Amino acid sequence: MPSQRRLFLATAAALFLSGCAGVRPGYERPSLMLDSFRAIPSEGMAPRFALGLRVVNPNPTPLPLTGMSYNVEFEGYRVITGVAGNLETVPAYGESLIEVQAGVDLISGLRLFHNLLQDPQRDRIRFNLRARLDTGGVRRFLVLEESGDLSLASLQR
């Protein structure tokens, strides 16, 4: 067998085996929860928000987080988008609270505001949080989502 072919087969086998090692039997998908949402002082005209994101790791191995990108939709309008880096590792069978700050897409925010004005009696608003976590491993990216309702009265406090 030519040496180039042997090298190719050895490399392919190594990649296959490392890929199989990344598929862990019994691995349970971590979960993401919106723990808090509040307005914070901003330096410009666009409002800023602090989001508390709780990541729960139900697995026997730590979940290293090197970074994340995230967005929040309200009533179908993508209003908040942001990124965060230098995140902590979520311990095995543990959870971590990550607080991130984000700005608002003004155009989507105005559309949402217009939508809310159409129904002044509304007391709840639907949200969808989507985060793409960078774990730095073989299965590098993990996409987590949470949806739910927020009380408009709680946002005014």
Side-chain angles (χ1 to χ4, degrees), residues 38-101:
R38 61 186 169 81
I40 58 175
S42 66
E43 295 176 9
M45 288 187 54
R48 296 203 41 88
F49 294 95
L51 285 75
L53 307 176
R54 184 171 306 282
V55 179
V56 178
N57 180 11
N59 297 293
T61 56
L63 178 65
L65 298 178
T66 58
M68 69 184 283
S69 61
Y70 55 91
N71 62 63
V72 183
E73 292 181 356
F74 294 101
E75 297 295 323
Y77 297 98
R78 183 177 289 182
V79 177
I80 297 173
T81 302
V83 295
N86 299 322
L87 302 175
E88 64 184 57
T89 295
V90 182
Y93 297 116
E95 59 185 50
S96 290
L97 181 63
I98 302 168
E99 185 166 285
V100 294
Q101 294 184 10

Side-chain angles (χ1 to χ4, degrees), residues 116 119 122-125 150-157:
L116 294 175
D119 184 7
R122 176 184 294 201
D123 63 342
R124 303 201 66 74
I125 186 170
L150 288 174
S151 166
L152 292 175
S154 70
L155 297 177
Q156 296 173 353
R157 291 182 198 155

Side-chain angles (χ1 to χ4, degrees), residues 1 3-19:
M1 183 183 300
S3 64
Q4 289 178 335
R5 186 171 180 190
R6 265 188 271 164
L7 178 62
F8 171 76
L9 289 175
T11 304
L15 288 173
F16 176 75
L17 290 175
S18 69

Side-chain angles (χ1 to χ4, degrees), residues 75-143:
E75 297 295 323
Y77 297 98
R78 183 177 289 182
V79 177
I80 297 173
T81 302
V83 295
N86 299 322
L87 302 175
E88 64 184 57
T89 295
V90 182
Y93 297 116
E95 59 185 50
S96 290
L97 181 63
I98 302 168
E99 185 166 285
V100 294
Q101 294 184 10
V104 172
D105 176 337
L106 242 37
I107 300 299
S108 289
L110 289 172
R111 289 180 180 142
L112 172 63
F113 184 68
H114 176 62
N115 179 304
L116 294 175
L117 287 177
Q118 303 302 313
D119 184 7
Q121 302 304 315
R122 176 184 294 201
D123 63 342
R124 303 201 66 74
I125 186 170
R126 183 110 182 109
F127 76 90
N128 184 56
L129 165 66
R130 182 177 189 273
R132 183 173 179 244
L133 306 175
D134 183 352
T135 62
V138 174
R139 301 180 82 190
R140 184 171 184 135
F141 295 107
L142 182 63
V143 177

